[in-house]
Amino acid sequence: MATDRSGDTWRSLVAALANDRVREAFARLTLGASADDALDGLSPSRRRHVVETLHRAGLVTADLRADGTAFARVLAAVPPAPRPTGADRFLSSEGRLVRYPSHPDERRDLLETLAQRVLAPGEVIDEPELNDRLAALTDDIPALRRHLVDHEIVERTRSGSAYSLVAAPPQS
């Protein structure tokens, strides 16, 4: 498979598959058609272009047989996406809560992370404001709010009308 000047081996593959005639010829070859049958109906210049494009993309062998390993080679050349760690493992790529961890320490870490995203230290806000902020993190606002309070990460005023982060104990 050819590598273009930027080192992106996938470009020639995608470019080949973006061309209707090349894609159709590759599909026919993949389904077992002979090269003559796969290229049937193309003018000699189009045939040359399709064959060159298939070769450049690594989609065929020298004898014009489909080579599906081109896809595996392209995928192998791409470094794996970094796996999220810590609290991020439980959030979508948009930062929304996907699930709660079963391990208590991980759950607490997640809840602390979420609380710090919606409340600043010393800030006191009413319930509608807290709900608006939590809506950016979850569809189940009451459950998240309840977890934050139950885990003593966020505290409610005695009247229950305002919320704030629980003050961290002084360091000794």
Side-chain angles (χ1 to χ4, degrees):
M1 175 174 302
T3 301
D4 68 16
R5 52 190 128 74
S6 66
D8 296 325
T9 57
W10 59 271
R11 286 187 187 278
S12 58
L13 181 68
V14 172
L17 295 177
N19 181 304
D20 292 341
R21 289 182 182 90
V22 174
R23 188 173 57 248
E24 183 178 343
F26 178 66
R28 287 180 179 182
L29 290 168
T30 300
L31 293 172
S34 69
D36 286 336
D37 288 341
L39 301 169
D40 188 43
L42 298 177
S43 69
S45 64
R46 285 251 189 239
R47 280 178 96 110
R48 265 191 313 280
H49 173 73
V50 167
V51 169
E52 287 171 6
T53 303
L54 287 168
H55 278 295
R56 191 171 40 252
L59 289 169
V60 293
T61 60
D63 60 351
L64 284 182
R65 293 180 196 237
D67 184 2
T69 62
F71 302 103
R73 287 191 305 270
V74 166
L75 289 172
V78 175
R83 297 187 124 194
T85 59
D88 289 338
R89 293 179 302 153
F90 308 102
L91 304 175
S92 70
S93 58
E94 295 82 34
R96 291 183 57 81
L97 182 61
V98 175
R99 64 185 171 91
Y100 290 97
S102 57
H103 192 277
D105 292 341
E106 289 178 333
R107 188 177 314 117
R108 179 160 188 86
D109 181 49
L110 171 67
L111 293 170
E112 286 174 350
T113 299
L114 296 176
Q116 291 166 5
R117 289 185 183 176
V118 297
L119 285 165
E123 179 180 32
V124 179
I125 60 174
D126 62 13
E127 187 168 318
E129 177 64 22
L130 179 63
N131 290 346
D132 285 346
R133 294 179 187 188
L134 293 178
L137 302 175
T138 184
D139 291 330
D140 192 351
I141 297 163
L144 178 54
R145 189 181 60 239
R146 191 168 40 256
H147 285 305
L148 292 170
V149 172
D150 290 349
H151 283 83
E152 299 178 348
I153 297 167
V154 170
E155 60 187 350
R156 249 187 320 238
T157 58
R158 285 191 179 268
S159 67
S161 62
Y163 295 81
S164 64
L165 287 174
V166 171
Q171 298 283 335
S172 45

Short mmCIF file of all heavy atoms in Angstrom, two decimals, residues 85-97 109-121 123 125 130 133-134 136-137 144 148 153-154 165:
data_model
loop_
_atom_site.label_atom_id
_atom_site.label_comp_id
_atom_site.label_asym_id
_atom_site.label_seq_id
_atom_site.Cartn_x
_atom_site.Cartn_y
_atom_site.Cartn_z
N THR A 85 -8.99 7.43 31.87
CA THR A 85 -8.61 6.93 33.19
C THR A 85 -9.40 7.68 34.26
O THR A 85 -10.02 8.70 33.97
CB THR A 85 -7.10 7.15 33.43
OG1 THR A 85 -6.83 8.55 33.32
CG2 THR A 85 -6.25 6.38 32.45
N GLY A 86 -9.35 7.17 35.46
CA GLY A 86 -10.02 7.82 36.58
C GLY A 86 -11.50 8.01 36.33
O GLY A 86 -12.17 7.17 35.73
N ALA A 87 -12.01 9.14 36.77
CA ALA A 87 -13.44 9.43 36.64
C ALA A 87 -13.87 9.51 35.19
O ALA A 87 -15.03 9.23 34.86
CB ALA A 87 -13.76 10.74 37.36
N ASP A 88 -12.95 9.86 34.29
CA ASP A 88 -13.30 9.98 32.88
C ASP A 88 -13.79 8.67 32.27
O ASP A 88 -14.46 8.67 31.25
CB ASP A 88 -12.11 10.51 32.07
CG ASP A 88 -11.82 11.96 32.38
OD1 ASP A 88 -12.74 12.67 32.86
OD2 ASP A 88 -10.68 12.39 32.15
N ARG A 89 -13.46 7.53 32.89
CA ARG A 89 -13.94 6.23 32.38
C ARG A 89 -15.46 6.12 32.44
O ARG A 89 -16.04 5.31 31.73
CB ARG A 89 -13.34 5.08 33.19
CG ARG A 89 -11.84 4.94 33.01
CD ARG A 89 -11.29 3.82 33.84
NE ARG A 89 -11.61 4.09 35.24
CZ ARG A 89 -11.75 3.15 36.17
NH1 ARG A 89 -11.62 1.89 35.87
NH2 ARG A 89 -12.03 3.48 37.41
N PHE A 90 -16.08 6.93 33.26
CA PHE A 90 -17.52 6.83 33.47
C PHE A 90 -18.29 7.95 32.78
O PHE A 90 -19.48 8.12 33.01
CB PHE A 90 -17.82 6.78 34.97
CG PHE A 90 -17.02 5.72 35.67
CD1 PHE A 90 -15.89 6.04 36.41
CD2 PHE A 90 -17.36 4.39 35.53
CE1 PHE A 90 -15.12 5.07 37.02
CE2 PHE A 90 -16.60 3.40 36.14
CZ PHE A 90 -15.48 3.73 36.88
N LEU A 91 -17.58 8.71 31.97
CA LEU A 91 -18.18 9.85 31.27
C LEU A 91 -18.08 9.65 29.77
O LEU A 91 -17.14 9.03 29.27
CB LEU A 91 -17.45 11.15 31.66
CG LEU A 91 -17.39 11.46 33.15
CD1 LEU A 91 -16.54 12.70 33.39
CD2 LEU A 91 -18.78 11.64 33.73
N SER A 92 -19.04 10.22 29.05
CA SER A 92 -18.98 10.18 27.59
C SER A 92 -17.91 11.14 27.11
O SER A 92 -17.37 11.93 27.90
CB SER A 92 -20.34 10.58 27.00
OG SER A 92 -20.57 11.97 27.22
N SER A 93 -17.64 11.14 25.83
CA SER A 93 -16.64 12.07 25.28
C SER A 93 -17.09 13.52 25.46
O SER A 93 -16.27 14.43 25.43
CB SER A 93 -16.37 11.77 23.82
OG SER A 93 -17.56 11.86 23.07
N GLU A 94 -18.39 13.74 25.67
CA GLU A 94 -18.92 15.09 25.91
C GLU A 94 -18.91 15.44 27.40
O GLU A 94 -19.35 16.51 27.79
CB GLU A 94 -20.36 15.22 25.39
CG GLU A 94 -20.49 15.10 23.87
CD GLU A 94 -20.51 13.65 23.42
OE1 GLU A 94 -21.04 12.78 24.16
OE2 GLU A 94 -19.98 13.36 22.34
N GLY A 95 -18.41 14.52 28.25
CA GLY A 95 -18.33 14.79 29.68
C GLY A 95 -19.61 14.50 30.44
O GLY A 95 -19.75 14.90 31.59
N ARG A 96 -20.53 13.77 29.80
CA ARG A 96 -21.79 13.42 30.48
C ARG A 96 -21.65 12.06 31.16
O ARG A 96 -20.96 11.17 30.67
CB ARG A 96 -22.95 13.41 29.49
CG ARG A 96 -23.28 14.82 29.00
CD ARG A 96 -24.47 14.86 28.07
NE ARG A 96 -25.68 14.31 28.62
CZ ARG A 96 -26.51 14.95 29.43
NH1 ARG A 96 -26.25 16.18 29.81
NH2 ARG A 96 -27.62 14.37 29.85
N LEU A 97 -22.35 11.92 32.28
CA LEU A 97 -22.31 10.69 33.06
C LEU A 97 -22.93 9.54 32.26
O LEU A 97 -24.07 9.65 31.79
CB LEU A 97 -23.08 10.91 34.37
CG LEU A 97 -23.13 9.77 35.35
CD1 LEU A 97 -21.73 9.37 35.82
CD2 LEU A 97 -23.98 10.16 36.55
N ASP A 109 -14.78 9.33 43.86
CA ASP A 109 -13.90 10.12 43.00
C ASP A 109 -14.70 10.74 41.85
O ASP A 109 -14.54 11.93 41.54
CB ASP A 109 -12.77 9.24 42.45
CG ASP A 109 -11.81 10.01 41.57
OD1 ASP A 109 -11.36 11.10 41.98
OD2 ASP A 109 -11.50 9.51 40.47
N LEU A 110 -15.57 9.96 41.25
CA LEU A 110 -16.40 10.46 40.16
C LEU A 110 -17.31 11.59 40.65
O LEU A 110 -17.40 12.65 40.03
CB LEU A 110 -17.26 9.33 39.57
CG LEU A 110 -18.34 9.76 38.57
CD1 LEU A 110 -17.71 10.32 37.30
CD2 LEU A 110 -19.26 8.60 38.26
N LEU A 111 -17.98 11.37 41.77
CA LEU A 111 -18.89 12.38 42.31
C LEU A 111 -18.15 13.66 42.69
O LEU A 111 -18.65 14.76 42.45
CB LEU A 111 -19.67 11.81 43.50
CG LEU A 111 -20.66 10.70 43.15
CD1 LEU A 111 -21.18 10.03 44.41
CD2 LEU A 111 -21.79 11.21 42.28
N GLU A 112 -16.96 13.54 43.24
CA GLU A 112 -16.17 14.73 43.57
C GLU A 112 -15.79 15.49 42.30
O GLU A 112 -15.86 16.72 42.26
CB GLU A 112 -14.91 14.34 44.35
CG GLU A 112 -15.20 13.94 45.79
CD GLU A 112 -13.98 13.41 46.53
OE1 GLU A 112 -12.92 13.17 45.89
OE2 GLU A 112 -14.08 13.24 47.76
N THR A 113 -15.42 14.76 41.26
CA THR A 113 -15.07 15.38 39.98
C THR A 113 -16.26 16.14 39.41
O THR A 113 -16.13 17.30 38.98
CB THR A 113 -14.59 14.31 38.97
OG1 THR A 113 -13.42 13.68 39.50
CG2 THR A 113 -14.30 14.91 37.62
N LEU A 114 -17.42 15.51 39.44
CA LEU A 114 -18.62 16.15 38.90
C LEU A 114 -19.02 17.37 39.73
O LEU A 114 -19.40 18.41 39.18
CB LEU A 114 -19.78 15.15 38.83
CG LEU A 114 -19.56 13.96 37.87
CD1 LEU A 114 -20.73 12.99 37.95
CD2 LEU A 114 -19.33 14.43 36.45
N ALA A 115 -18.92 17.25 41.06
CA ALA A 115 -19.29 18.37 41.93
C ALA A 115 -18.37 19.57 41.66
O ALA A 115 -18.84 20.71 41.61
CB ALA A 115 -19.20 17.95 43.39
N GLN A 116 -17.09 19.31 41.44
CA GLN A 116 -16.15 20.41 41.18
C GLN A 116 -16.40 21.06 39.83
O GLN A 116 -16.01 22.21 39.62
CB GLN A 116 -14.72 19.89 41.29
CG GLN A 116 -14.35 19.54 42.72
CD GLN A 116 -13.08 18.73 42.83
OE1 GLN A 116 -12.40 18.49 41.84
NE2 GLN A 116 -12.77 18.30 44.04
N ARG A 117 -17.04 20.34 38.93
CA ARG A 117 -17.37 20.93 37.62
C ARG A 117 -18.56 21.87 37.70
O ARG A 117 -18.71 22.73 36.84
CB ARG A 117 -17.65 19.82 36.61
CG ARG A 117 -16.40 19.07 36.22
CD ARG A 117 -16.67 18.07 35.14
NE ARG A 117 -15.45 17.32 34.86
CZ ARG A 117 -15.38 16.33 34.01
NH1 ARG A 117 -16.44 15.97 33.32
NH2 ARG A 117 -14.23 15.69 33.82
N VAL A 118 -19.42 21.69 38.70
CA VAL A 118 -20.63 22.51 38.75
C VAL A 118 -20.63 23.52 39.90
O VAL A 118 -21.44 24.45 39.88
CB VAL A 118 -21.92 21.64 38.82
CG1 VAL A 118 -22.06 20.80 37.57
CG2 VAL A 118 -21.94 20.76 40.05
N LEU A 119 -19.77 23.34 40.88
CA LEU A 119 -19.73 24.25 42.03
C LEU A 119 -18.29 24.70 42.32
O LEU A 119 -17.38 23.88 42.31
CB LEU A 119 -20.28 23.56 43.27
CG LEU A 119 -21.79 23.38 43.35
CD1 LEU A 119 -22.16 22.38 44.43
CD2 LEU A 119 -22.46 24.71 43.62
N ALA A 120 -18.14 25.96 42.60
CA ALA A 120 -16.84 26.48 43.03
C ALA A 120 -16.79 26.44 44.56
O ALA A 120 -17.83 26.55 45.23
CB ALA A 120 -16.67 27.92 42.55
N PRO A 121 -15.60 26.31 45.13
CA PRO A 121 -15.49 26.33 46.60
C PRO A 121 -16.09 27.62 47.17
O PRO A 121 -15.86 28.71 46.65
CB PRO A 121 -13.98 26.27 46.85
CG PRO A 121 -13.41 25.64 45.61
CD PRO A 121 -14.30 26.10 44.49
N GLU A 123 -19.09 28.63 46.96
CA GLU A 123 -20.27 29.08 46.22
C GLU A 123 -21.52 28.42 46.80
O GLU A 123 -21.53 27.23 47.09
CB GLU A 123 -20.11 28.70 44.74
CG GLU A 123 -21.27 29.09 43.88
CD GLU A 123 -21.06 28.69 42.42
OE1 GLU A 123 -20.41 27.66 42.15
OE2 GLU A 123 -21.59 29.41 41.55
N ILE A 125 -25.58 27.99 45.86
CA ILE A 125 -26.58 28.21 44.80
C ILE A 125 -27.89 27.54 45.17
O ILE A 125 -27.91 26.59 45.95
CB ILE A 125 -26.09 27.71 43.42
CG1 ILE A 125 -25.80 26.20 43.45
CG2 ILE A 125 -24.87 28.49 42.96
CD1 ILE A 125 -25.45 25.61 42.09
N LEU A 130 -28.60 24.65 40.63
CA LEU A 130 -27.86 23.40 40.70
C LEU A 130 -28.40 22.42 39.66
O LEU A 130 -27.63 21.77 38.95
CB LEU A 130 -27.92 22.78 42.10
CG LEU A 130 -27.18 21.45 42.25
CD1 LEU A 130 -25.69 21.62 42.00
CD2 LEU A 130 -27.43 20.85 43.64
N ARG A 133 -27.17 23.21 36.21
CA ARG A 133 -25.77 22.82 36.03
C ARG A 133 -25.61 21.31 35.92
O ARG A 133 -24.81 20.82 35.12
CB ARG A 133 -24.92 23.37 37.17
CG ARG A 133 -24.84 24.89 37.18
CD ARG A 133 -24.00 25.38 38.32
NE ARG A 133 -24.04 26.83 38.45
CZ ARG A 133 -23.27 27.51 39.29
NH1 ARG A 133 -22.40 26.88 40.07
NH2 ARG A 133 -23.35 28.83 39.35
N LEU A 134 -26.37 20.58 36.72
CA LEU A 134 -26.29 19.11 36.67
C LEU A 134 -26.86 18.57 35.36
O LEU A 134 -26.46 17.50 34.89
CB LEU A 134 -27.02 18.48 37.86
CG LEU A 134 -26.39 18.73 39.23
CD1 LEU A 134 -27.25 18.09 40.32
CD2 LEU A 134 -24.96 18.22 39.29
N ALA A 136 -26.20 19.45 32.50
CA ALA A 136 -25.11 19.32 31.53
C ALA A 136 -24.36 18.00 31.71
O ALA A 136 -23.62 17.58 30.83
CB ALA A 136 -24.15 20.49 31.67
N LEU A 137 -24.59 17.35 32.85
CA LEU A 137 -23.85 16.13 33.17
C LEU A 137 -24.67 14.86 33.09
O LEU A 137 -24.11 13.77 32.92
CB LEU A 137 -23.27 16.23 34.59
CG LEU A 137 -22.35 17.41 34.86
CD1 LEU A 137 -21.97 17.45 36.34
CD2 LEU A 137 -21.11 17.34 33.99
N LEU A 144 -28.36 12.19 40.63
CA LEU A 144 -27.02 12.72 40.81
C LEU A 144 -26.97 13.67 42.00
O LEU A 144 -26.06 13.60 42.83
CB LEU A 144 -26.52 13.42 39.54
CG LEU A 144 -25.13 14.07 39.62
CD1 LEU A 144 -24.07 13.07 40.08
CD2 LEU A 144 -24.76 14.67 38.26
N LEU A 148 -24.66 13.17 45.38
CA LEU A 148 -23.72 14.19 45.84
C LEU A 148 -23.96 14.54 47.31
O LEU A 148 -23.02 14.71 48.08
CB LEU A 148 -23.82 15.45 44.96
CG LEU A 148 -23.34 15.30 43.52
CD1 LEU A 148 -23.73 16.52 42.69
CD2 LEU A 148 -21.85 15.04 43.46
N ILE A 153 -20.55 15.24 49.63
CA ILE A 153 -19.68 16.03 48.75
C ILE A 153 -20.31 17.41 48.58
O ILE A 153 -19.62 18.42 48.52
CB ILE A 153 -19.49 15.31 47.41
CG1 ILE A 153 -18.77 13.98 47.66
CG2 ILE A 153 -18.75 16.19 46.41
CD1 ILE A 153 -18.79 13.02 46.49
N VAL A 154 -21.62 17.43 48.50
CA VAL A 154 -22.40 18.66 48.42
C VAL A 154 -23.33 18.65 49.63
O VAL A 154 -23.86 17.60 50.01
CB VAL A 154 -23.22 18.73 47.10
CG1 VAL A 154 -24.21 19.87 47.11
CG2 VAL A 154 -22.27 18.84 45.91
N LEU A 165 -20.50 23.10 48.03
CA LEU A 165 -19.54 22.03 48.26
C LEU A 165 -19.28 21.91 49.75
O LEU A 165 -19.24 22.94 50.46
CB LEU A 165 -18.22 22.32 47.54
CG LEU A 165 -18.20 22.19 46.03
CD1 LEU A 165 -16.85 22.65 45.49
CD2 LEU A 165 -18.48 20.76 45.59
#
